[in-house]
Amino acid sequence: MAKDARQIAVAIAYQSGQAAPKVVAKGRGLVAQAIIDRARDAGVYVHESPEMVSLLMQVDFDQHIPPQLYLAVAELLAWVYQLEHEPDQPSGQKELQ
C-alpha cells in the first residue's frame, strides 16, 4: 500500500469463546500505517484487501463483526491458520494481496 492519507487499515482479533472476531483497531493515513507497522513488528500477518478493509471499516471499534462478514473473515482466518502451520515459511513475513 502506498503511504498516503487514503491508506486505511483495520485490525481484528478473535479469542476462543468469543461470539465473533472484534475490530480492535482502525484508522486512516498515519494511523493506518502505524497499525500495519505494529502488526508486522509483532509478527502478525498483514492481509491487504481493499474490499475487506472497506467492509470492516463500517464496524465500530471494539464491536464484533456482523454475521454478514462471517464467511469472508472465516476465509481470512483459515488463510492465516494455514500460514502459521507451514513449517518452511518465516513467521510474520507472509502477505496476501
Side-chain angles (χ1 to χ4, degrees):
M1 276 191 211
K3 294 182 181 183
D4 63 38
R6 293 175 296 173
Q7 182 177 31
I8 57 176
V10 177
I12 60 172
Y14 177 77
Q15 294 181 357
S16 181
Q18 286 184 334
K22 280 186 176 184
V23 171
V24 295
K26 66 181 188 174
R28 299 179 185 279
L30 294 175
V31 173
Q33 189 58 50
I35 292 168
I36 293 166
D37 291 344
R38 286 193 70 181
R40 288 185 174 145
D41 290 347
V44 173
Y45 297 106
V46 174
H47 176 84
E48 296 185 29
S49 168
E51 297 84 7
M52 177 71 78
V53 172
S54 178
L55 291 170
L56 291 171
M57 283 295 286
Q58 297 175 38
V59 179
D60 289 335
F61 175 74
D62 202 32
Q63 296 298 309
H64 294 284
I65 64 163
Q68 299 87 334
L69 295 180
Y70 284 2
L71 181 58
V73 171
E75 290 174 357
L76 175 60
L77 294 174
W79 169 77
V80 170
Y81 179 86
Q82 181 181 12
L83 289 177
E84 288 177 341
H85 291 87
E86 289 179 1
D88 59 343
Q89 297 290 333
S91 178
Q93 300 301 312
K94 302 165 203 131
E95 293 183 23
L96 179 65
Q97 296 183 353

